[in-house]
Amino acid sequence: VLLLVTLRAVGPAQPSPAETMVDRPPEESFKLGNEFFHAGLYPKAIEAYADCVRLRPEYKEAWYNLGIAYSQTGNYQKEIETYQKAIALDPAYSKAMYNLAMAYEALGNKEAAAKQYAAVLKLEPDSADALNNVGILHASRGAWSDAESAYKQALEVDPDAAETWFNLGITYGRMAAAATSEDVRKSATARELDAYRRGVEKDPRFYKAWFNMAIVYNRLKEVDLEIGAYQKTLEARRDFPLALYNLAYAFMEKGET
């Protein structure tokens, strides 16, 4: 999640986005950049933040917001450069480090992303978001045990994170698929189901977790539970054709039309 830094308005009312930025104090350019950003005018926001750091190069929050604005335009290389500027000004700027890691991920540089998440966790060992994303990095290279460990650490910090429970469930599913013994497969499948259940307990409208639960029940030949999970999926998201198709197929398997 990218979070914009904002300033409390002081003095006169905030300027209109239509006003010129020429000779504007850096604080006003910063506020103007925030206005443009929240209006979805990202190129204008970039212009305003860039004007701010031109006038005050040590303004780390402006570098940070400039990076977020670049992220919205898909210019990840520029995003990376601006976060690096912010971190150079404040080596303990963990929010900028976190966003820098995500920018590296967007460019496919997983090694650099991992290093940045490690830097975040050195400063904030209880960053559930960073731990979750480290788990995703491990999962992307098939290191399922490492992914499991990272997700569990994240859940120790934030046990209500439905997305992390979902990610843990996927990890157990991959472990079950790779299992070479029936006992290991059954154990991993049981943990997979439990993780998805925990996810929908935290967020009952988490349709992806309901859907994956249905897939697991299908593997287990538990057709009634499969049907119930697909129905929950469609309650949470009606425009899900694959769930509707699978539900119809499950009814056919049960002998109902």
Side-chain angles (χ1 to χ4, degrees), residues 175-202:
M175 288 178 168
T180 57
S181 78
E182 187 65 11
D183 287 344
V184 172
R185 185 191 65 79
K186 287 182 177 179
S187 175
T189 299
R191 286 179 289 165
E192 178 184 9
L193 270 175
D194 181 66
Y196 293 143
R197 288 192 191 105
R198 298 291 290 274
V200 296
E201 284 174 6
K202 306 305 178 184

Side-chain angles (χ1 to χ4, degrees), residues 8-26:
R8 188 184 302 275
V10 177
Q14 294 186 17
S16 164
E19 293 183 37
T20 178
M21 289 183 288
V22 175
D23 297 324
R24 187 179 303 280

Side-chain angles (χ1 to χ4, degrees), residues 147-201:
E148 176 192 17
S149 177
Y151 294 140
K152 283 184 171 180
Q153 289 180 64
L155 289 166
E156 287 177 6
V157 177
D158 183 7
D160 293 329
E163 193 76 32
T164 306
W165 282 112
F166 176 75
N167 291 345
L168 183 59
I170 291 175
T171 297
Y172 286 136
R174 296 296 188 272
M175 288 178 168
T180 57
S181 78
E182 187 65 11
D183 287 344
V184 172
R185 185 191 65 79
K186 287 182 177 179
S187 175
T189 299
R191 286 179 289 165
E192 178 184 9
L193 270 175
D194 181 66
Y196 293 143
R197 288 192 191 105
R198 298 291 290 274
V200 296
E201 284 174 6

Side-chain angles (χ1 to χ4, degrees), residues 22-139:
V22 175
D23 297 324
R24 187 179 303 280
E27 293 82 2
E28 292 301 311
S29 290
F30 186 84
K31 294 175 190 175
L32 187 57
N34 289 347
E35 287 188 18
F36 282 131
F37 185 94
H38 290 300
L41 301 173
Y42 303 120
K44 290 285 190 181
I46 288 170
E47 182 182 351
Y49 292 135
D51 187 64
C52 179
V53 296
R54 177 184 63 80
L55 295 169
R56 185 178 293 174
E58 71 278 12
Y59 204 154
K60 70 174 186 180
E61 292 85 0
W63 285 111
Y64 174 81
N65 282 15
L66 179 58
I68 296 177
Y70 276 127
S71 78
Q72 298 302 308
T73 66
N75 193 337
Y76 301 117
Q77 186 56 51
K78 279 290 189 180
E79 180 186 6
I80 286 168
E81 293 171 6
T82 55
Y83 293 143
Q84 288 172 333
K85 292 278 191 181
I87 294 165
L89 291 166
D90 180 0
Y93 202 175
S94 59
K95 289 193 298 184
M97 292 176 187
Y98 179 85
N99 286 7
L100 178 57
M102 290 200 297
Y104 279 129
E105 280 193 82
L107 285 181
N109 192 339
K110 296 178 182 179
E111 182 179 352
K115 288 180 179 178
Q116 286 303 313
Y117 285 130
V120 172
L121 291 167
K122 186 175 181 180
L123 293 168
E124 298 181 14
D126 291 339
S127 173
D129 287 341
L131 288 164
N132 177 71
N133 287 7
V134 167
I136 292 172
L137 284 177
H138 287 314

Side-chain angles (χ1 to χ4, degrees), residues 221-235:
K221 309 299 183 185
E222 297 279 0
V223 67
D224 288 330
L225 293 173
E226 177 189 0
I227 287 171
Y230 282 134
Q231 289 172 331
K232 287 290 188 179
T233 303
L234 291 164
E235 286 176 15

